[in-house]
Amino acid sequence: MPSTPEFQQTLGKAASFSGTALHTGDKVTLKLHAAPVDHGIKFKRKDLQDEPTIDAKIENLKTVERATTIGEGSVRVHTVEHVLAALWAMGVDNAVVEMDANEPPIGDGSAQPYVDLIRKAGVTAQEEPRKFFDVRDTMHVESKTGALLVLLPDDKFRISCTQAGPNNQFTQFLSLELTPSIFEREIAPARTFVFYEDVQPLMDKNLIKGGSLENAIVVRGEAVLSKEPLRFADEFVRHKILDIIGDLALVGRRIRGHVVAVKPGHAVNAELARALAREQTRRSAMSAPRAIPIGDSGLDTGEVMKILPHRYPFLMVDRVIGFEGENKITAIKSITINEPFFQGHFPGHPVMPGVMQVEAMAQVASILLFKLTKTSSRVGYFMSADQVKFRKPVFPGDTIFIHAELTRARGNRMAKTKCYCVVNDAIVSEAELMFTFLDK
Ligand SMILES: [Zn+2]
């Protein structure tokens, strides 16, 4: 592991270029802007009312057919992988990608135009260290179609990729360590390639109006059709590596590990990104302190009761043990056999009801929101619960660490939180809880 910390980076100044959108064939202008630390990469739809932004995060992944689409609510951004790969590989951690359409200009089908744009904008270091995902154990994902991705521990980010077309035609292999200069030289110029049989139906349906031999290499039988000659003898495997980088950028952390890919595609890439995000969540949830601190960093029962109106037997928070920045909170609740719900749930086999865990998460999230709004004239109402999962039973004698993180806030009208209950280093339940703010 490198001993010197690496710092987050953003763009030196804004820069833009225009071109054709692949699917609609419309003209689109893409502009890159600098962004503050821990912002990550966000897409902004300048053409829509209120100019909504979409986080380039795996949670927002919508579809992976031929290209990677992300979205929030009804807003979508298509074909994000090449611009994401360029930003990530050129070392940009924080940026806003502003567009006046629902997809970036396709350029020549490679990441070269985006690399040129990043060069124009410049890359500058910020104050906060980068966040990494260190691969500790071998992980893998595979698909029914024979795609396989294996992730091995490594102190660098490396990719070894094998690409094979139909009937193992055009089988190519390449292995490299990913640095900005290697990306720029070896990967960025590699263009999108398609097999004629795959795109013919789309051309017939007019679904790729902007598609042409200027922005893709078309393979028809043995023939390779493109406007200019191949840029590398093994251009296909290089483009596959480009797509892997772009799709894994959705993890939002720099990976230290070795990706070994066989016949990769967007679907399996996304599945690996999801597995990494899940593992990261598990690690963060497990970093709760084993010794419970008292003092300034948290809130004792009295302080909790000043914020929450709940009382026995419905107060599900014993103590807040700490806040992390503005957006994260950890609290504890010790479960004893004296909890009133154990009388009926169930006699002879006491198990804590899952709904009480959701209630505990909602109370902890409310404390976070209270700290955030700091206004006593508005109060947060628990509005809905989504993605609720009960993973393990909770018994008398257990201490629950309750984590809540604010994942989205819309003005002071609504807020979304991701919450976990953890017992003995294992997630016992989780939920996404939504709150709306109303005047008291
Ligand atoms: Zn691609």
Side-chain angles (χ1 to χ4, degrees):
M1 220 169 283
S3 51
T4 46
E6 285 182 30
F7 287 90
Q8 295 182 28
Q9 300 190 122
T10 187
L11 298 154
K13 60 176 169 59
S16 67
F17 87 110
S18 302
T20 308
L22 174 65
H23 294 97
T24 57
D26 294 339
K27 185 175 180 261
V28 44
T29 299
L30 177 146
K31 190 169 183 183
L32 297 178
H33 296 269
V37 293
D38 294 332
H39 172 282
I41 296 168
K42 291 185 181 30
F43 285 81
K44 183 181 210 175
R45 287 283 304 270
K46 196 108 172 69
D47 55 321
L48 299 182
Q49 204 187 350
D50 297 337
E51 304 185 357
T53 58
I54 301 172
D55 251 318
K57 287 277 177 65
I58 190 67
E59 300 91 277
N60 290 329
L61 183 79
K62 296 297 172 199
T63 59
V64 287
E65 274 172 54
R66 294 182 305 280
T68 300
T69 295
I70 56 172
E72 282 190 60
S74 60
V75 183
R76 294 284 179 278
V77 186
H78 307 281
T79 329
V80 295
E81 63 272 21
H82 299 164
V83 63
L84 277 180
L87 286 166
W88 209 239
M90 296 303 287
V92 178
D93 304 274
N94 303 304
V96 176
V97 183
E98 181 190 286
M99 304 188 303
D100 56 3
N102 65 5
E103 65 180 342
I106 187 69
D108 60 1
S110 77
Q112 191 62 56
Y114 309 116
V115 168
D116 295 342
L117 194 61
I118 294 162
R119 284 240 164 259
K120 204 163 106 187
V123 176
T124 119
Q126 297 173 291
E127 285 85 62
E128 282 291 309
R130 274 185 170 152
K131 292 191 174 74
F132 285 93
F133 180 91
D134 284 299
V135 181
R136 293 176 191 162
D137 305 300
T138 304
M139 304 170 70
H140 85 280
V141 294
E142 56 190 307
S143 77
K144 290 191 190 94
T145 55
L148 170 69
L149 292 187
V150 181
L151 189 51
L152 302 162
D154 202 295
D155 55 9
K156 304 270 174 46
F157 182 39
R158 295 170 58 201
I159 301 181
S160 298
C161 182
T162 304
Q163 152 64 20
N167 307 314
N168 292 335
Q169 232 186 334
F170 304 104
T171 297
Q172 300 173 357
F173 171 79
L174 186 67
S175 178
L176 41 78
E177 179 200 330
L178 200 79
T179 64
S181 60
I182 291 174
F183 177 80
E184 195 173 354
R185 198 174 61 232
E186 308 290 342
I187 301 299
R191 292 162 295 169
T192 304
F193 62 96
V194 292
F195 292 95
Y196 181 77
E197 309 82 74
D198 296 340
V199 289
Q200 182 60 44
L202 302 172
M203 295 195 303
D204 290 347
K205 283 189 224 153
N206 218 5
L207 286 175
I208 39 174
K209 291 199 185 82
S212 76
L213 287 180
E214 282 174 27
N215 49 43
I217 303 164
V218 178
V219 183
R220 189 171 188 179
E222 294 289 316
V224 175
L225 316 168
S226 67
K227 186 146 182 267
E228 54 170 294
L230 287 177
R231 294 175 178 177
F232 304 93
D234 56 357
E235 189 164 354
F236 298 172
V237 71
R238 290 170 193 255
H239 190 84
K240 285 289 184 181
I241 291 176
L242 170 62
D243 284 339
I244 292 173
I245 298 164
D247 290 338
L248 291 184
L250 294 172
V251 174
R253 280 177 177 255
R254 302 267 159 194
I255 297 167
R256 280 193 284 235
H258 184 178
V259 180
V260 180
V262 178
K263 297 211 291 185
H266 292 303
V268 77
N269 297 349
E271 212 182 311
L272 182 64
R274 261 197 210 100
L276 294 187
R278 266 200 308 273
E279 172 64 12
Q280 182 54 45
T281 305
R282 200 183 65 85
R283 287 182 191 177
S284 319
M286 279 169 44
S287 61
R290 304 305 299 269
I292 299 159
I294 14 173
D296 304 344
S297 59
L299 304 171
D300 64 24
T301 315
E303 289 166 313
V304 167
M305 291 203 292
K306 275 185 205 148
I307 296 174
L308 293 179
H310 308 72
R311 294 295 177 264
Y312 175 86
F314 220 61
L315 181 61
M316 298 303 292
V317 186
D318 290 340
R319 191 195 297 163
V320 173
I321 58 174
F323 294 89
E324 199 183 308
E326 292 253 282
N327 295 340
K328 282 189 187 176
I329 180 173
T330 302
I332 51 165
K333 165 75 182 157
S334 295
I335 306 300
T336 79
I337 188 64
N338 295 320
E339 307 292 341
F341 48 74
F342 282 135
Q343 282 189 31
H345 197 272
F346 301 99
H349 182 63
V351 185
M352 183 182 185
V355 290
M356 298 306 291
Q357 294 171 44
V358 175
E359 177 60 28
M361 292 189 263
Q363 290 184 13
V364 172
S366 305
I367 296 173
L368 181 67
L369 297 181
F370 177 85
K371 290 270 287 186
L372 213 64
T373 55
K374 288 183 190 99
T375 148
S376 50
S377 69
R378 290 172 80 73
V379 59
Y381 280 89
F382 183 19
M383 192 166 71
S384 69
D386 207 358
Q387 307 281 331
V388 180
K389 290 191 184 79
F390 301 110
R391 300 187 178 283
K392 288 185 171 167
V394 176
F395 302 112
D398 284 342
T399 295
I400 309 180
F401 287 81
I402 307 152
H403 301 266
E405 180 179 3
L406 182 73
T407 51
R408 192 143 191 241
R410 215 179 269 156
N412 52 11
R413 283 176 299 152
M414 88 56 123
K416 192 167 163 184
T417 59
K418 179 82 199 179
C419 306
Y420 296 90
C421 285
V422 175
V423 173
N424 292 331
D425 285 352
I427 296 175
V428 293
S429 56
E430 60 182 90
E432 275 178 24
L433 306 182
M434 244 81 75
F435 294 82
T436 179
F437 295 101
L438 296 172
D439 290 323
K440 265 187 187 165

